[in-house]
mmCIF file of all heavy atoms in Angstrom:
data_model
loop_
_atom_site.group_PDB
_atom_site.id
_atom_site.type_symbol
_atom_site.label_atom_id
_atom_site.label_comp_id
_atom_site.label_asym_id
_atom_site.label_seq_id
_atom_site.Cartn_x
_atom_site.Cartn_y
_atom_site.Cartn_z
ATOM 1 N N GLU A 1 0.199 -9.270 -29.710
ATOM 2 C CA GLU A 1 -1.014 -8.907 -29.065
ATOM 3 C C GLU A 1 -0.756 -7.888 -27.974
ATOM 4 O O GLU A 1 -1.553 -6.984 -27.923
ATOM 5 C CB GLU A 1 -1.593 -10.161 -28.477
ATOM 6 C CG GLU A 1 -2.251 -11.093 -29.441
ATOM 7 C CD GLU A 1 -2.830 -12.328 -28.755
ATOM 8 O OE1 GLU A 1 -3.000 -12.293 -27.483
ATOM 9 O OE2 GLU A 1 -3.257 -13.310 -29.542
ATOM 10 N N VAL A 2 0.314 -7.996 -27.317
ATOM 11 C CA VAL A 2 0.637 -7.090 -26.286
ATOM 12 C C VAL A 2 0.930 -5.637 -26.924
ATOM 13 O O VAL A 2 0.536 -4.644 -26.310
ATOM 14 C CB VAL A 2 1.834 -7.425 -25.422
ATOM 15 C CG1 VAL A 2 2.317 -6.338 -24.469
ATOM 16 C CG2 VAL A 2 1.443 -8.663 -24.545
ATOM 17 N N VAL A 3 1.730 -5.694 -28.060
ATOM 18 C CA VAL A 3 2.077 -4.455 -28.757
ATOM 19 C C VAL A 3 0.721 -3.789 -29.149
ATOM 20 O O VAL A 3 0.533 -2.514 -28.887
ATOM 21 C CB VAL A 3 2.843 -4.782 -29.909
ATOM 22 C CG1 VAL A 3 2.866 -3.580 -30.816
ATOM 23 C CG2 VAL A 3 4.271 -5.251 -29.603
ATOM 24 N N ALA A 4 -0.179 -4.498 -29.688
ATOM 25 C CA ALA A 4 -1.483 -3.843 -30.042
ATOM 26 C C ALA A 4 -2.295 -3.275 -28.872
ATOM 27 O O ALA A 4 -2.897 -2.201 -28.891
ATOM 28 C CB ALA A 4 -2.397 -4.923 -30.820
ATOM 29 N N HIS A 5 -2.282 -4.007 -27.776
ATOM 30 C CA HIS A 5 -3.051 -3.539 -26.566
ATOM 31 C C HIS A 5 -2.376 -2.326 -25.940
ATOM 32 O O HIS A 5 -2.976 -1.302 -25.659
ATOM 33 C CB HIS A 5 -2.991 -4.652 -25.529
ATOM 34 C CG HIS A 5 -3.598 -4.236 -24.321
ATOM 35 N ND1 HIS A 5 -4.805 -4.090 -23.940
ATOM 36 C CD2 HIS A 5 -2.861 -3.996 -23.037
ATOM 37 C CE1 HIS A 5 -4.971 -3.586 -22.771
ATOM 38 N NE2 HIS A 5 -3.799 -3.641 -22.189
ATOM 39 N N GLU A 6 -1.018 -2.404 -25.785
ATOM 40 C CA GLU A 6 -0.233 -1.305 -25.222
ATOM 41 C C GLU A 6 -0.353 0.022 -26.049
ATOM 42 O O GLU A 6 -0.318 1.098 -25.458
ATOM 43 C CB GLU A 6 1.271 -1.656 -24.932
ATOM 44 C CG GLU A 6 1.420 -2.774 -23.960
ATOM 45 C CD GLU A 6 1.024 -2.393 -22.516
ATOM 46 O OE1 GLU A 6 0.958 -1.136 -22.288
ATOM 47 O OE2 GLU A 6 0.995 -3.282 -21.736
ATOM 48 N N ASP A 7 -0.293 -0.139 -27.357
ATOM 49 C CA ASP A 7 -0.462 0.975 -28.130
ATOM 50 C C ASP A 7 -1.727 1.717 -27.959
ATOM 51 O O ASP A 7 -1.806 2.995 -28.306
ATOM 52 C CB ASP A 7 -0.284 0.641 -29.723
ATOM 53 C CG ASP A 7 1.104 0.344 -30.077
ATOM 54 O OD1 ASP A 7 2.128 0.599 -29.214
ATOM 55 O OD2 ASP A 7 1.351 -0.118 -31.128
ATOM 56 N N ALA A 8 -2.743 1.084 -27.442
ATOM 57 C CA ALA A 8 -4.087 1.744 -27.292
ATOM 58 C C ALA A 8 -4.272 2.331 -25.922
ATOM 59 O O ALA A 8 -5.222 2.888 -25.557
ATOM 60 C CB ALA A 8 -5.091 0.745 -27.540
ATOM 61 N N THR A 9 -3.273 2.035 -25.068
ATOM 62 C CA THR A 9 -3.454 2.483 -23.577
ATOM 63 C C THR A 9 -2.858 3.836 -23.402
ATOM 64 O O THR A 9 -2.040 4.487 -24.218
ATOM 65 C CB THR A 9 -2.742 1.476 -22.671
ATOM 66 O OG1 THR A 9 -1.389 1.299 -22.988
ATOM 67 C CG2 THR A 9 -3.526 0.130 -22.708
ATOM 68 N N GLY A 10 -3.115 4.457 -22.235
ATOM 69 C CA GLY A 10 -2.541 5.775 -21.940
ATOM 70 C C GLY A 10 -1.312 5.773 -21.237
ATOM 71 O O GLY A 10 -0.693 4.777 -20.972
ATOM 72 N N PRO A 11 -0.771 6.932 -20.930
ATOM 73 C CA PRO A 11 0.504 7.130 -20.218
ATOM 74 C C PRO A 11 0.582 6.433 -18.752
ATOM 75 O O PRO A 11 1.780 6.184 -18.284
ATOM 76 C CB PRO A 11 0.793 8.666 -20.002
ATOM 77 C CG PRO A 11 -0.811 9.139 -19.999
ATOM 78 C CD PRO A 11 -1.465 8.232 -20.933
ATOM 79 N N GLU A 12 -0.471 6.110 -18.130
ATOM 80 C CA GLU A 12 -0.497 5.505 -16.814
ATOM 81 C C GLU A 12 -0.442 3.973 -16.872
ATOM 82 O O GLU A 12 -0.712 3.287 -15.885
ATOM 83 C CB GLU A 12 -1.647 5.998 -15.976
ATOM 84 C CG GLU A 12 -1.566 7.572 -15.747
ATOM 85 C CD GLU A 12 -0.277 8.028 -15.017
ATOM 86 O OE1 GLU A 12 0.148 7.221 -14.159
ATOM 87 O OE2 GLU A 12 0.259 8.996 -15.365
ATOM 88 N N ASP A 13 -0.217 3.356 -17.997
ATOM 89 C CA ASP A 13 -0.300 1.979 -18.215
ATOM 90 C C ASP A 13 0.779 1.261 -17.515
ATOM 91 O O ASP A 13 1.714 1.971 -17.007
ATOM 92 C CB ASP A 13 -0.461 1.543 -19.658
ATOM 93 C CG ASP A 13 0.779 1.822 -20.431
ATOM 94 O OD1 ASP A 13 1.787 2.302 -19.861
ATOM 95 O OD2 ASP A 13 0.675 1.744 -21.634
ATOM 96 N N GLU A 14 0.867 -0.107 -17.594
ATOM 97 C CA GLU A 14 1.889 -0.872 -16.880
ATOM 98 C C GLU A 14 3.249 -0.642 -17.399
ATOM 99 O O GLU A 14 4.276 -0.640 -16.729
ATOM 100 C CB GLU A 14 1.568 -2.278 -16.961
ATOM 101 C CG GLU A 14 2.329 -3.168 -15.989
ATOM 102 C CD GLU A 14 1.801 -4.496 -15.730
ATOM 103 O OE1 GLU A 14 0.831 -4.902 -16.331
ATOM 104 O OE2 GLU A 14 2.376 -5.224 -14.984
ATOM 105 N N MET A 15 3.321 -0.311 -18.747
ATOM 106 C CA MET A 15 4.616 -0.087 -19.360
ATOM 107 C C MET A 15 5.216 1.141 -18.851
ATOM 108 O O MET A 15 6.503 1.292 -18.567
ATOM 109 C CB MET A 15 4.421 -0.116 -20.877
ATOM 110 C CG MET A 15 5.829 -0.096 -21.587
ATOM 111 S SD MET A 15 6.659 -1.639 -21.291
ATOM 112 C CE MET A 15 8.317 -1.346 -21.972
ATOM 113 N N ALA A 16 4.417 2.116 -18.578
ATOM 114 C CA ALA A 16 4.889 3.434 -17.951
ATOM 115 C C ALA A 16 5.588 3.168 -16.625
ATOM 116 O O ALA A 16 6.641 3.698 -16.309
ATOM 117 C CB ALA A 16 3.834 4.471 -17.876
ATOM 118 N N LEU A 17 4.876 2.279 -15.855
ATOM 119 C CA LEU A 17 5.427 1.992 -14.546
ATOM 120 C C LEU A 17 6.672 1.171 -14.577
ATOM 121 O O LEU A 17 7.702 1.393 -13.854
ATOM 122 C CB LEU A 17 4.421 1.177 -13.805
ATOM 123 C CG LEU A 17 3.022 1.726 -13.491
ATOM 124 C CD1 LEU A 17 2.084 0.836 -12.705
ATOM 125 C CD2 LEU A 17 3.119 3.073 -12.876
ATOM 126 N N ALA A 18 6.706 0.306 -15.577
ATOM 127 C CA ALA A 18 8.018 -0.518 -15.831
ATOM 128 C C ALA A 18 9.124 0.354 -16.217
ATOM 129 O O ALA A 18 10.250 0.244 -15.816
ATOM 130 C CB ALA A 18 7.763 -1.663 -16.787
ATOM 131 N N ASP A 19 8.822 1.329 -17.113
ATOM 132 C CA ASP A 19 9.846 2.290 -17.432
ATOM 133 C C ASP A 19 10.412 3.130 -16.299
ATOM 134 O O ASP A 19 11.602 3.379 -16.262
ATOM 135 C CB ASP A 19 9.246 3.170 -18.625
ATOM 136 C CG ASP A 19 9.548 2.765 -19.937
ATOM 137 O OD1 ASP A 19 10.482 1.984 -20.210
ATOM 138 O OD2 ASP A 19 8.902 3.335 -21.016
ATOM 139 N N ALA A 20 9.495 3.590 -15.511
ATOM 140 C CA ALA A 20 9.921 4.353 -14.297
ATOM 141 C C ALA A 20 10.816 3.564 -13.411
ATOM 142 O O ALA A 20 11.841 4.096 -12.907
ATOM 143 C CB ALA A 20 8.640 4.850 -13.593
ATOM 144 N N VAL A 21 10.511 2.303 -13.115
ATOM 145 C CA VAL A 21 11.404 1.454 -12.344
ATOM 146 C C VAL A 21 12.670 1.188 -13.077
ATOM 147 O O VAL A 21 13.823 1.061 -12.496
ATOM 148 C CB VAL A 21 10.723 0.205 -11.903
ATOM 149 C CG1 VAL A 21 11.694 -0.764 -11.223
ATOM 150 C CG2 VAL A 21 9.551 0.536 -11.019
ATOM 151 N N GLY A 22 12.583 0.932 -14.346
ATOM 152 C CA GLY A 22 13.702 0.520 -15.117
ATOM 153 C C GLY A 22 13.484 -0.945 -15.725
ATOM 154 O O GLY A 22 13.503 -1.928 -15.029
ATOM 155 N N LEU A 23 13.107 -0.921 -16.993
ATOM 156 C CA LEU A 23 12.647 -2.172 -17.633
ATOM 157 C C LEU A 23 13.785 -3.252 -17.624
ATOM 158 O O LEU A 23 13.597 -4.427 -17.254
ATOM 159 C CB LEU A 23 12.300 -1.850 -19.099
ATOM 160 C CG LEU A 23 11.587 -3.012 -19.793
ATOM 161 C CD1 LEU A 23 10.368 -3.519 -19.160
ATOM 162 C CD2 LEU A 23 11.258 -2.682 -21.268
ATOM 163 N N ALA A 24 15.068 -2.743 -17.901
ATOM 164 C CA ALA A 24 16.110 -3.697 -17.915
ATOM 165 C C ALA A 24 16.336 -4.372 -16.395
ATOM 166 O O ALA A 24 16.620 -5.516 -16.201
ATOM 167 C CB ALA A 24 17.474 -3.022 -18.136
ATOM 168 N N LEU A 25 16.091 -3.542 -15.331
ATOM 169 C CA LEU A 25 16.212 -4.022 -14.011
ATOM 170 C C LEU A 25 15.110 -5.087 -13.747
ATOM 171 O O LEU A 25 15.407 -6.099 -13.128
ATOM 172 C CB LEU A 25 15.980 -2.808 -13.057
ATOM 173 C CG LEU A 25 16.001 -3.377 -11.527
ATOM 174 C CD1 LEU A 25 17.328 -3.936 -11.134
ATOM 175 C CD2 LEU A 25 15.681 -2.083 -10.544
ATOM 176 N N LEU A 26 13.892 -4.843 -14.183
ATOM 177 C CA LEU A 26 12.814 -5.758 -14.049
ATOM 178 C C LEU A 26 13.094 -7.197 -14.681
ATOM 179 O O LEU A 26 12.888 -8.200 -14.204
ATOM 180 C CB LEU A 26 11.494 -5.266 -14.560
ATOM 181 C CG LEU A 26 10.858 -4.132 -13.748
ATOM 182 C CD1 LEU A 26 9.527 -3.705 -14.389
ATOM 183 C CD2 LEU A 26 10.600 -4.610 -12.268
ATOM 184 N N VAL A 27 13.716 -7.005 -15.906
ATOM 185 C CA VAL A 27 14.193 -8.162 -16.651
ATOM 186 C C VAL A 27 15.130 -9.044 -15.936
ATOM 187 O O VAL A 27 15.001 -10.264 -15.799
ATOM 188 C CB VAL A 27 14.649 -7.840 -18.034
ATOM 189 C CG1 VAL A 27 15.406 -9.083 -18.646
ATOM 190 C CG2 VAL A 27 13.573 -7.234 -18.954
ATOM 191 N N VAL A 28 16.084 -8.342 -15.390
ATOM 192 C CA VAL A 28 17.234 -9.075 -14.660
ATOM 193 C C VAL A 28 16.666 -9.577 -13.300
ATOM 194 O O VAL A 28 16.986 -10.807 -12.950
ATOM 195 C CB VAL A 28 18.306 -8.094 -14.266
ATOM 196 C CG1 VAL A 28 19.487 -8.882 -13.522
ATOM 197 C CG2 VAL A 28 19.012 -7.667 -15.644
ATOM 198 N N LEU A 29 15.813 -8.771 -12.600
ATOM 199 C CA LEU A 29 15.137 -9.374 -11.348
ATOM 200 C C LEU A 29 14.358 -10.648 -11.680
ATOM 201 O O LEU A 29 14.261 -11.567 -10.817
ATOM 202 C CB LEU A 29 14.287 -8.236 -10.789
ATOM 203 C CG LEU A 29 14.986 -7.018 -10.177
ATOM 204 C CD1 LEU A 29 13.869 -6.067 -9.634
ATOM 205 C CD2 LEU A 29 15.855 -7.564 -8.997
ATOM 206 N N ASP A 30 13.754 -10.792 -12.822
ATOM 207 C CA ASP A 30 12.952 -11.816 -13.175
ATOM 208 C C ASP A 30 13.723 -13.154 -13.392
ATOM 209 O O ASP A 30 13.345 -14.178 -13.435
ATOM 210 C CB ASP A 30 12.083 -11.547 -14.503
ATOM 211 C CG ASP A 30 10.767 -12.193 -14.412
ATOM 212 O OD1 ASP A 30 10.187 -12.320 -13.272
ATOM 213 O OD2 ASP A 30 10.349 -12.576 -15.453
ATOM 214 N N THR A 31 15.079 -12.899 -13.562
ATOM 215 C CA THR A 31 16.032 -14.198 -13.625
ATOM 216 C C THR A 31 16.411 -14.638 -12.292
ATOM 217 O O THR A 31 17.022 -15.770 -12.178
ATOM 218 C CB THR A 31 17.270 -13.820 -14.447
ATOM 219 O OG1 THR A 31 18.080 -12.919 -13.731
ATOM 220 C CG2 THR A 31 16.866 -13.282 -15.829
ATOM 221 N N LEU A 32 16.103 -14.039 -11.229
ATOM 222 C CA LEU A 32 16.515 -14.434 -9.850
ATOM 223 C C LEU A 32 15.557 -15.358 -9.233
ATOM 224 O O LEU A 32 14.294 -15.446 -9.752
ATOM 225 C CB LEU A 32 16.582 -13.164 -8.938
ATOM 226 C CG LEU A 32 17.580 -12.143 -9.349
ATOM 227 C CD1 LEU A 32 17.391 -10.905 -8.325
ATOM 228 C CD2 LEU A 32 18.986 -12.473 -9.471
ATOM 229 N N GLY A 33 15.975 -16.247 -8.414
ATOM 230 C CA GLY A 33 15.046 -17.119 -7.596
ATOM 231 C C GLY A 33 14.224 -16.221 -6.628
ATOM 232 O O GLY A 33 14.575 -15.097 -6.401
ATOM 233 N N PRO A 34 13.036 -16.749 -6.222
ATOM 234 C CA PRO A 34 12.132 -15.965 -5.364
ATOM 235 C C PRO A 34 12.835 -15.438 -4.153
ATOM 236 O O PRO A 34 12.764 -14.140 -3.793
ATOM 237 C CB PRO A 34 11.104 -16.974 -5.015
ATOM 238 C CG PRO A 34 11.056 -17.838 -6.191
ATOM 239 C CD PRO A 34 12.425 -18.030 -6.620
ATOM 240 N N ALA A 35 13.575 -16.252 -3.384
ATOM 241 C CA ALA A 35 14.350 -15.789 -2.204
ATOM 242 C C ALA A 35 15.393 -14.682 -2.565
ATOM 243 O O ALA A 35 15.611 -13.761 -1.800
ATOM 244 C CB ALA A 35 14.997 -16.920 -1.451
ATOM 245 N N GLU A 36 16.165 -14.837 -3.476
ATOM 246 C CA GLU A 36 17.171 -13.901 -4.110
ATOM 247 C C GLU A 36 16.538 -12.561 -4.379
ATOM 248 O O GLU A 36 16.893 -11.492 -3.933
ATOM 249 C CB GLU A 36 17.967 -14.407 -5.261
ATOM 250 C CG GLU A 36 18.925 -15.467 -4.973
ATOM 251 C CD GLU A 36 19.627 -15.947 -6.323
ATOM 252 O OE1 GLU A 36 19.041 -15.794 -7.409
ATOM 253 O OE2 GLU A 36 20.724 -16.508 -6.201
ATOM 254 N N ARG A 37 15.447 -12.599 -5.110
ATOM 255 C CA ARG A 37 14.680 -11.348 -5.482
ATOM 256 C C ARG A 37 14.141 -10.599 -4.280
ATOM 257 O O ARG A 37 14.321 -9.357 -4.161
ATOM 258 C CB ARG A 37 13.603 -11.691 -6.356
ATOM 259 C CG ARG A 37 12.881 -10.479 -6.982
ATOM 260 C CD ARG A 37 12.031 -10.871 -8.265
ATOM 261 N NE ARG A 37 11.527 -9.679 -8.858
ATOM 262 C CZ ARG A 37 10.865 -9.613 -10.016
ATOM 263 N NH1 ARG A 37 10.745 -10.790 -10.759
ATOM 264 N NH2 ARG A 37 10.350 -8.582 -10.618
ATOM 265 N N VAL A 38 13.582 -11.360 -3.263
ATOM 266 C CA VAL A 38 13.012 -10.733 -2.132
ATOM 267 C C VAL A 38 14.169 -10.029 -1.333
ATOM 268 O O VAL A 38 14.065 -8.886 -0.938
ATOM 269 C CB VAL A 38 12.282 -11.743 -1.216
ATOM 270 C CG1 VAL A 38 11.908 -11.130 0.167
ATOM 271 C CG2 VAL A 38 10.958 -12.097 -1.936
ATOM 272 N N ALA A 39 15.262 -10.886 -1.121
ATOM 273 C CA ALA A 39 16.443 -10.277 -0.319
ATOM 274 C C ALA A 39 17.037 -9.032 -0.879
ATOM 275 O O ALA A 39 17.354 -8.073 -0.284
ATOM 276 C CB ALA A 39 17.471 -11.402 -0.235
ATOM 277 N N PHE A 40 17.177 -8.994 -2.311
ATOM 278 C CA PHE A 40 17.839 -7.963 -3.025
ATOM 279 C C PHE A 40 16.899 -6.708 -3.075
ATOM 280 O O PHE A 40 17.316 -5.692 -2.600
ATOM 281 C CB PHE A 40 18.131 -8.331 -4.435
ATOM 282 C CG PHE A 40 18.644 -7.217 -5.177
ATOM 283 C CD1 PHE A 40 19.980 -6.822 -5.197
ATOM 284 C CD2 PHE A 40 17.801 -6.384 -6.127
ATOM 285 C CE1 PHE A 40 20.488 -5.873 -5.947
ATOM 286 C CE2 PHE A 40 18.401 -5.466 -6.864
ATOM 287 C CZ PHE A 40 19.649 -5.103 -6.725
ATOM 288 N N VAL A 41 15.647 -6.887 -3.327
ATOM 289 C CA VAL A 41 14.745 -5.784 -3.490
ATOM 290 C C VAL A 41 14.593 -5.144 -2.106
ATOM 291 O O VAL A 41 14.653 -3.907 -1.890
ATOM 292 C CB VAL A 41 13.408 -6.182 -3.904
ATOM 293 C CG1 VAL A 41 12.391 -5.125 -3.785
ATOM 294 C CG2 VAL A 41 13.499 -6.533 -5.430
ATOM 295 N N LEU A 42 14.236 -5.930 -0.989
ATOM 296 C CA LEU A 42 14.128 -5.309 0.307
ATOM 297 C C LEU A 42 15.354 -4.712 0.883
ATOM 298 O O LEU A 42 15.339 -3.664 1.390
ATOM 299 C CB LEU A 42 13.686 -6.422 1.199
ATOM 300 C CG LEU A 42 12.261 -6.969 1.017
ATOM 301 C CD1 LEU A 42 11.881 -8.062 2.085
ATOM 302 C CD2 LEU A 42 11.226 -5.734 1.134
ATOM 303 N N HIS A 43 16.548 -5.363 0.654
ATOM 304 C CA HIS A 43 17.713 -4.685 1.315
ATOM 305 C C HIS A 43 18.335 -3.659 0.330
ATOM 306 O O HIS A 43 18.594 -2.560 0.774
ATOM 307 C CB HIS A 43 18.786 -5.815 1.486
ATOM 308 C CG HIS A 43 20.083 -5.246 2.159
ATOM 309 N ND1 HIS A 43 21.048 -4.896 1.347
ATOM 310 C CD2 HIS A 43 20.304 -4.894 3.491
ATOM 311 C CE1 HIS A 43 22.103 -4.281 2.260
ATOM 312 N NE2 HIS A 43 21.565 -4.409 3.435
ATOM 313 N N ASP A 44 18.596 -3.936 -0.876
ATOM 314 C CA ASP A 44 19.345 -3.017 -1.781
ATOM 315 C C ASP A 44 18.459 -1.764 -2.279
ATOM 316 O O ASP A 44 18.973 -0.735 -2.336
ATOM 317 C CB ASP A 44 19.917 -3.763 -2.950
ATOM 318 C CG ASP A 44 21.171 -4.579 -2.605
ATOM 319 O OD1 ASP A 44 21.071 -5.251 -1.610
ATOM 320 O OD2 ASP A 44 22.155 -4.448 -3.316
ATOM 321 N N LEU A 45 17.254 -2.050 -2.358
ATOM 322 C CA LEU A 45 16.328 -1.018 -2.893
ATOM 323 C C LEU A 45 15.546 -0.370 -1.762
ATOM 324 O O LEU A 45 15.133 0.897 -1.909
ATOM 325 C CB LEU A 45 15.275 -1.555 -3.910
ATOM 326 C CG LEU A 45 16.021 -2.275 -5.199
ATOM 327 C CD1 LEU A 45 14.853 -2.632 -6.208
ATOM 328 C CD2 LEU A 45 17.096 -1.348 -5.692
ATOM 329 N N PHE A 46 15.323 -1.012 -0.599
ATOM 330 C CA PHE A 46 14.528 -0.411 0.477
ATOM 331 C C PHE A 46 15.209 -0.503 1.769
ATOM 332 O O PHE A 46 14.561 -0.039 2.805
ATOM 333 C CB PHE A 46 13.112 -0.991 0.480
ATOM 334 C CG PHE A 46 12.295 -0.657 -0.749
ATOM 335 C CD1 PHE A 46 12.261 -1.538 -1.825
ATOM 336 C CD2 PHE A 46 11.585 0.451 -0.664
ATOM 337 C CE1 PHE A 46 11.494 -1.122 -2.991
ATOM 338 C CE2 PHE A 46 10.841 0.852 -1.849
ATOM 339 C CZ PHE A 46 10.793 -0.050 -2.941
ATOM 340 N N ALA A 47 16.372 -0.997 1.788
ATOM 341 C CA ALA A 47 17.253 -1.056 3.043
ATOM 342 C C ALA A 47 16.606 -1.613 4.288
ATOM 343 O O ALA A 47 16.881 -1.169 5.380
ATOM 344 C CB ALA A 47 17.744 0.392 3.317
ATOM 345 N N VAL A 48 15.840 -2.766 4.114
ATOM 346 C CA VAL A 48 15.325 -3.485 5.157
ATOM 347 C C VAL A 48 16.478 -4.303 5.744
ATOM 348 O O VAL A 48 17.154 -4.871 4.985
ATOM 349 C CB VAL A 48 14.157 -4.359 4.639
ATOM 350 C CG1 VAL A 48 13.636 -5.262 5.721
ATOM 351 C CG2 VAL A 48 13.042 -3.644 4.034
#
């Protein structure tokens, strides 16, 4: 169903955003616990 929906959307859809960030990175981030993900994203990607 997602395939059918995404095929009908334009270049600014969510998949385009995921590609720009890095789909593999999003997949791996999704395996982290909430606290791990927040700590990694804020520090390693935004240097908080």
Side-chain angles (χ1 to χ4, degrees):
E1 289 179 9
V2 172
V3 169
H5 171 73
E6 295 288 347
D7 283 347
T9 58
E12 298 301 321
D13 64 10
E14 188 164 7
M15 194 60 194
L17 300 181
D19 265 344
V21 172
L23 187 61
L25 175 62
L26 289 178
V27 168
V28 179
L29 288 177
D30 216 35
T31 68
L32 304 178
E36 288 179 333
R37 185 166 185 169
V38 168
F40 176 81
V41 169
L42 288 181
H43 182 267
D44 284 46
L45 303 186
F46 293 93
V48 175

